[in-house]
């Protein structure tokens, strides 16, 4: 239950930040998660070993794994920011 409350508060609070600040904050969170969350990092490495060619250097696996964490964090940032986005501004940026 506490995880739900934490996610709810984080999404409700972080989603109100400007996107540029939110993205930088989440990039830091991704970096910290990569180095602090040993279990998920091992899982990502294991998955990457299945999809990357045999003999892929560890440096490339490490770089790709960090990109996976970054991508997930930025996806969470987008989901948190979605309810607070200005729809008109969004479509003006895409035109």
């Amino acid at each position: 239950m506490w995880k739900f409350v934490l996610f709810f508060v984080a999404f409700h609070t972080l989603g109100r930040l400007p996107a540029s600040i939110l993205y930088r904050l989440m990039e830091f969170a991704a970096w910290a998660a990569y180095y602090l969350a040993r279990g998920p990092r091992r899982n990502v490495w294991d998955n990457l070993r299945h999809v990357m060619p045999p003999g892929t250097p560890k440096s490339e696996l490490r770089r790709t794994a960090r990109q996976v964490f970054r991508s997930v964090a930025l996806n969470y940032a987008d989901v948190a920011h979605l309810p607070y986005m200005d729809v008109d501004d969004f479509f003006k940026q895409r035109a």
Side-chain angles (χ1 to χ4, degrees):
M1 178 66 175
W2 66 270
K3 285 183 182 181
F4 172 77
V5 172
L6 179 65
F7 276 114
F8 181 79
V9 170
F11 271 56
H12 193 69
T13 305
L14 294 175
R16 294 175 185 267
L17 293 174
S20 60
I21 294 172
L22 180 59
Y23 288 159
R24 286 191 180 175
L25 185 63
M26 293 307 283
E27 284 179 354
F28 174 76
W31 175 85
Y34 176 79
Y35 287 104
L36 298 176
R38 186 176 302 168
R41 184 177 62 233
R42 274 193 229 139
N43 291 341
V44 169
W45 273 67
D46 184 50
N47 289 339
L48 289 174
R49 284 190 194 105
H50 292 286
V51 297
M52 296 186 87
T56 301
K58 280 191 173 185
S59 60
E60 188 173 346
L61 281 171
R62 187 177 300 112
R63 181 178 53 83
T64 305
R66 284 195 307 259
Q67 288 175 346
V68 167
F69 275 78
R70 181 179 180 272
S71 178
V72 169
L74 293 178
N75 285 339
Y76 277 117
D78 286 338
V79 170
H81 191 63
L82 195 60
Y84 306 102
M85 286 180 62
D86 181 7
V87 177
D88 293 330
D89 187 42
F90 175 79
F91 285 111
K92 285 178 189 174
Q93 291 177 359
R94 303 299 176 256

